[in-house]
Amino acid sequence: MSQILDAIASPADVKQLSLPQLEQLAAEIREELINVLAKTGGHLGPNLGVVELTIAMHYVFNTPEDHFVFDVSHQAYVHKLLTGRRKEFHTIRTPGGLNGFMLRAESPHDSYGAGHAGTALSAALGMAVARDRAGGKEHVVALAGDAAFTCGIAYEALNNIAHHTRRLIVVLNDNEWSIDKNVGAIASYLNTIVTNPRFDYLHDRAGRFVEMLGGKIALRMARKAEEAAKSILWPSVIFEELGLKYYGPLDGHDIPTLIKTFEFLKTQNRPVLLHVLTQKGKGFEPALHKQKKFHGLGPYDPETGETKPPAQRTYSEVFADTLVKLANINPRVVAITAAMPNGTALDRFQPHHRDRYFDVGIAEEHAVIFAAGMAAKGYKPFCAIYSTFLQRSVDPIIHDVCLQNLPVIFCMDRGGLSGDDGPTHHGLFDISYLRGIPNIVHMDPKDEDELADMLFTAMQYDGPAAIRYPRGTGPGTPVKDVPRAIPIGKGELLQHGENDRVAIFALGALVPMGLEVARNLEGEGISSAVINARFAKPLDVELLEFFARNVDVILTLEDHVLMGGFGSAVLEEVSNLGLSTPVVRIGWPDHFIEHGKPDALREKYGISAAAANEKLRPYLVQPRMLQRVTLPPPRL
Ligand SMILES: Cc1ncc(C[n+]2csc(CCOP(=O)(O)OP(=O)(O)O)c2C)c(N)n1
């Protein structure tokens, strides 16, 4: 069925195809995307939307000499199919298979990796400037979605482009969608350009010229008509004011027009922005009806698009449902998302409290400072941002929130390993990047009910707080109707005996692993205490001191990098106490973790009970000389 696609070993093969063959190639790619992602999951909608665009780009440009920089790069699957990875495409996002994003290590055609939004224009400009300095002739093309233009960085790049290079092509892929509907003034502005009927008319005429006559002369005439249209309608197009010549809007599914336009843009000696209109999910009915769902999803039925709903509420859903309750009782509670209403489940909150729900676009730094402003006026902003995307906001967290001790609550979804998306999306750094900031409290629930309690605790706390919780579902613990406040900085002692030799401090989702380690030890006749640490900051120093003085070894467990993480905090505190109790730490190494299934990756990197028991063994050969203390034993 995929005769043409099967024969594409590199972009050179694309250039040999006739127009009807290119159209056929587009159809075959769509079929491949729908069938493969039905098994692996992935970013179906965005990729279905850029099939023709990517084909035209590869028809005109020559990667890897020319460079494509894709924003987020979740829409690079078609590019992968055309750049020698067709045979492995069925492995995308599976362990050991192709990554779901551009990856420099994966192919010379992936000239720049990404996973977070808004970086394409800056990176492309950097490459263009490096090329100019070397006297190179290659082209640099940045492809960014309309939602990428809600990112501040995109404007920081636009502020610089025309000052630093004369040759850069920016393609604005406008499908009106972020993951949810794109929001804000920029989305409205793009919509105004696109929907102006006069402009449409002239644009159609321009398109017809190209079709009828073909070639550069016709294209020049067509462009003239468009430019005339623009100058009639727009005293200025924002991009032109910033020094990029604006072209478009073009139908992003019209291969011949795209090809001719790219041929033309290649000849330009000034930075240009091409505005193309595409349809997210094109060619798959279910994706056209459910844009949000098909942005990125797990396996589905390739005929109907049906997916298996999770058997129980996810952590994100428990978070959003609890926030509805908190907002019911506290009129100061507001919810903020940075373009992730679906992923954070805040789309469940929005219908209940429309006027206290804010989607600010892909703008995490702004989200945090906006929250700080609201908090300064007495509100309780709950800022729901994935752990990995909150990395963007470290300075606003320090400078705007914590320095002023404002009660902003960071609800860090996907805290811990994220799985199939890989290193750009694992939330493995938040303890490290937050722990050193004065004033902040860092909480990690062991289950869904404790998440609800922590949200309630944070609401009552008069200062900045962060709560991290894992992707997907938890142990399924029923959530109480009314949440309870947890004392700040107090751990929960889950088990404790007279002759404990090990104290296991487990954080968040790894509490069940802590209990498993204890059971294994018990099987060997060794008694141990298990503590649900609850707080990475402040630590429960009282509990820690008691055990540091009374056991042979402390074990810490965290779904986080070891460096600067929870175990590091425990080590520091043991040292502060002037004690020399050995601390064995389990967590992620100083290494970017590839994509894969969480259980398999944990196994591979030794984040398991078996690995913990093994690491404890040398410390249990002989009992340590203990100077038992007279502290009162902590209560269970
Ligand atoms: C910093 C950051 N925040 C949030 C996200 C999550 N995210 C991935 S794709 C996306 C929407 C992208 O929309 P757009 O750029 O218009 O591309 P499209 O998917 O519509 O093609 C978002 C919000 C991200 N990748 N990076």
Side-chain angles (χ1 to χ4, degrees), residues 54-168:
T54 315
I55 290 175
M57 285 167 67
H58 276 296
Y59 189 90
V60 173
F61 298 98
N62 297 308
T63 63
E65 291 75 33
D66 293 335
H67 304 303
F68 292 168
V69 184
F70 284 31
D71 203 80
V72 188
S73 82
H74 62 308
Q75 73 292 59
Y77 297 7
V78 186
H79 164 78
K80 294 196 183 215
L81 278 167
L82 299 179
T83 50
R85 284 168 277 182
R86 192 256 174 284
K87 284 206 178 73
E88 301 90 63
F89 190 69
H90 68 281
T91 68
I92 193 154
R93 290 162 52 89
T94 62
L98 295 180
N99 188 275
F101 298 90
M102 288 265 218
L103 201 60
R104 281 168 61 85
E106 194 176 284
S107 163
H109 294 273
D110 291 5
S111 52
Y112 196 84
H116 290 196
T119 63
L121 272 60
S122 302
L125 176 60
M127 291 175 142
V129 168
R131 171 208 55 207
D132 295 346
R133 291 175 67 85
K137 295 277 172 280
E138 67 272 22
H139 296 280
V140 182
V141 184
L143 171 76
D146 49 308
F149 286 82
T150 64
C151 292
I153 325 172
Y155 296 89
E156 294 168 28
L158 284 168
N159 183 42
N160 278 207
I161 288 174
H163 282 271
H164 293 306
T165 188
R166 295 173 69 84
R167 287 180 51 236
L168 177 63

Side-chain angles (χ1 to χ4, degrees), residues 15 56-63 65-68 131 136-141 166-171 216 219 223 247 257-274:
K15 299 179 205 314
M57 285 167 67
H58 276 296
Y59 189 90
V60 173
F61 298 98
N62 297 308
T63 63
E65 291 75 33
D66 293 335
H67 304 303
F68 292 168
R131 171 208 55 207
K137 295 277 172 280
E138 67 272 22
H139 296 280
V140 182
V141 184
R166 295 173 69 84
R167 287 180 51 236
L168 177 63
I169 299 170
V170 176
V171 181
K216 278 188 183 158
L219 200 63
R223 293 296 157 240
Y247 292 93
T257 306
L258 286 170
I259 289 177
K260 289 195 174 103
T261 306
F262 281 128
E263 296 283 8
F264 167 75
L265 295 179
K266 252 172 103 161
T267 65
Q268 294 302 289
N269 196 25
R270 56 184 159 182
V272 295
L273 182 135
L274 175 67

Side-chain angles (χ1 to χ4, degrees), residues 33 37 42-51 54 74-78 173 175 178-179 278-282 287 291-292 294-296:
L33 289 172
L37 303 195
H43 289 101
L44 182 65
N47 281 286
L48 288 173
V50 297
V51 174
T54 315
H74 62 308
Q75 73 292 59
Y77 297 7
V78 186
N173 172 31
N175 55 27
S178 182
I179 293 179
T278 61
Q279 198 180 23
K280 216 164 170 169
K282 188 177 171 66
Q291 300 275 3
K292 248 202 294 202
F294 284 91
H295 171 86

